[in-house]
Amino acid sequence: EALRASENRLAAIFDNMPYRFSLKDREGRYEMVNQPLADWYGVPAEELIGKQIIEFSNLPQIAARLAAIEQRIFETGEAGTTEVSRTEADGQQVHMFVLKFPVCADDGAVNGIGTFAIDITGQKQTEEALRKSEGRLRDFAEAASDWFWETDEEHRIVSLSDRFTSATGIPIDWVLGKT
């Protein structure tokens, strides 16, 4: 009864965490999956048990990349990470950070693979917005007739617009790092 209660608590944790989680055997068959992973594939969790990722993935190149990481884990015993992206049915691009790690027997032999995957779509969208914003600022600085510079906390120049060199003939590299 205590074991069953413990298993139920563990299942509740796995099914309610914000990560997609799975355990696989040496042949790459799912032994345990949580609800977020089952939702990712759009099937009940029970349907994943005993199956391999290629049976559910509509993106064979991602499945092949993940399988290569798993093979490397079996060979080296070291965890591996990657990022994967896919386009949802609604056209939205979803980005995941995937951590795969060895599950070892008492003798240290790798006999399975554990996986945690977290949705990093928001982070990727923020990075892209920042890149666009930086590009607009760079374009503005290059089109302006003024010089723009940035200094660090010791008042050393760390960035200077290209217009400085065209107006003065002094290379930017000569100025960088000086006060």
Side-chain angles (χ1 to χ4, degrees), residues 16-58:
N16 290 290
M17 67 178 154
Y19 309 106
R20 291 165 176 91
F21 171 78
S22 70
L23 291 176
K24 294 181 178 180
D25 64 15
R26 281 198 68 80
E27 285 74 42
R29 293 184 303 256
Y30 288 111
E31 293 182 324
M32 181 181 192
V33 300
N34 70 349
Q35 194 57 50
L37 181 66
D39 293 345
W40 172 257
Y41 287 122
V43 298
E46 311 80 60
E47 284 189 32
L48 290 170
I49 304 302
K51 306 274 176 47
Q52 295 177 324
I53 188 174
I54 199 69
E55 297 177 60
F56 292 91
S57 177
N58 61 353

Side-chain angles (χ1 to χ4, degrees), residues 148-151 156-161 172 176:
F148 292 94
W149 63 91
E150 180 183 358
T151 60
R156 291 182 301 240
I157 296 174
V158 295
S159 177
L160 184 61
S161 60
I172 291 176
L176 293 180

Side-chain angles (χ1 to χ4, degrees), residues 59-73:
L59 300 171
Q61 66 276 20
I62 291 175
R65 185 165 29 141
L66 295 174
I69 292 171
E70 292 173 4
Q71 183 59 41
R72 212 169 29 255
I73 292 170

Side-chain angles (χ1 to χ4, degrees), residues 88-99:
E88 298 289 301
D90 63 3
Q92 179 186 3
Q93 189 77 8
V94 176
H95 304 275
M96 300 294 292
F97 175 80
V98 180
L99 165 67

Side-chain angles (χ1 to χ4, degrees), residues 46-162:
E46 311 80 60
E47 284 189 32
L48 290 170
I49 304 302
K51 306 274 176 47
Q52 295 177 324
I53 188 174
I54 199 69
E55 297 177 60
F56 292 91
S57 177
N58 61 353
L59 300 171
Q61 66 276 20
I62 291 175
R65 185 165 29 141
L66 295 174
I69 292 171
E70 292 173 4
Q71 183 59 41
R72 212 169 29 255
I73 292 170
F74 281 120
E75 293 168 2
T76 67
E78 297 176 7
T81 63
T82 190
E83 288 183 18
V84 296
S85 301
R86 80 175 200 189
T87 304
E88 298 289 301
D90 63 3
Q92 179 186 3
Q93 189 77 8
V94 176
H95 304 275
M96 300 294 292
F97 175 80
V98 180
L99 165 67
K100 292 194 167 283
F101 56 92
V103 176
C104 298
D106 291 340
D107 64 1
V110 178
N111 63 1
I113 301 288
T115 302
F116 279 106
I118 186 164
D119 189 329
I120 58 169
T121 303
Q123 176 184 340
K124 291 293 186 180
Q125 290 169 341
T126 300
E127 289 172 359
E128 180 61 23
L130 180 60
R131 268 192 296 281
K132 286 180 180 177
S133 178
E134 288 173 338
R136 285 191 304 273
L137 179 61
R138 196 172 22 260
D139 292 345
F140 173 75
E142 290 174 8
S145 59
D146 296 324
W147 304 341
F148 292 94
W149 63 91
E150 180 183 358
T151 60
D152 63 14
E153 48 282 335
E154 278 88 39
H155 306 287
R156 291 182 301 240
I157 296 174
V158 295
S159 177
L160 184 61
S161 60
D162 290 336

